Amino acid sequence: MDSSLLSIDETLETAFEIFYEMAEDNLDYDDLLAYQARFDEDGAAIVVEASADWEEHVGFDVDRDTFVEVRIGLANEDELNDVLVRMLVSRDTEQKFCHLLWKRAA
């Protein structure tokens, strides 16, 4: 593993810090309350390969060796079924980058 890349655990820790800093300003009030009420039991985050739609959101070719997608939300029976934010996060310690797509009320 490239030592200049954050580990998955470090990436998740960074993603949660960003989420907590920005959630109140970006989530629908009801989603924020539900997350706060259920976090201890149902709060979850997963790291997945960056989805194909990220290029259109960020305007550049996403290197899947450097960037991962982090999804944070509420889980039900070990499945993340209420995604509150999708984040594109660079694991490169020299080139920090994060782009967030928040859940919005329909």
Side-chain angles (χ1 to χ4, degrees), residues 78-95:
D78 296 330
E79 183 178 325
L80 193 62
N81 59 352
D82 187 7
V83 177
L84 300 176
V85 68
R86 291 174 55 213
M87 303 173 140
L88 181 67
V89 181
S90 171
R91 294 177 55 209
D92 186 329
T93 58
E94 301 296 315
Q95 298 287 320

Side-chain angles (χ1 to χ4, degrees), residues 44-79:
I46 58 170
V47 174
V48 297
E49 183 173 318
S51 298
D53 67 337
W54 279 110
E55 277 82 2
E56 67 188 67
H57 294 297
V58 297
F60 59 83
D61 288 336
V62 174
D63 176 359
R64 267 85 182 154
D65 291 330
T66 304
F67 289 88
V68 294
E69 181 173 329
V70 177
R71 297 176 185 171
I72 297 176
L74 295 169
N76 187 359
E77 299 178 15
D78 296 330
E79 183 178 325

Side-chain angles (χ1 to χ4, degrees), residues 15-28:
F16 267 118
E17 288 173 8
I18 295 166
F19 174 79
Y20 287 124
E21 191 172 305
M22 300 181 72
E24 191 171 319
D25 293 330
N26 290 282
L27 281 177
D28 181 70

Side-chain angles (χ1 to χ4, degrees), residues 4-33:
S4 66
L5 293 181
L6 295 172
S7 70
I8 295 299
D9 286 344
E10 290 169 323
T11 303
L12 281 170
E13 187 175 310
T14 299
F16 267 118
E17 288 173 8
I18 295 166
F19 174 79
Y20 287 124
E21 191 172 305
M22 300 181 72
E24 191 171 319
D25 293 330
N26 290 282
L27 281 177
D28 181 70
Y29 184 72
D30 290 338
D31 286 327
L32 183 62
L33 284 183

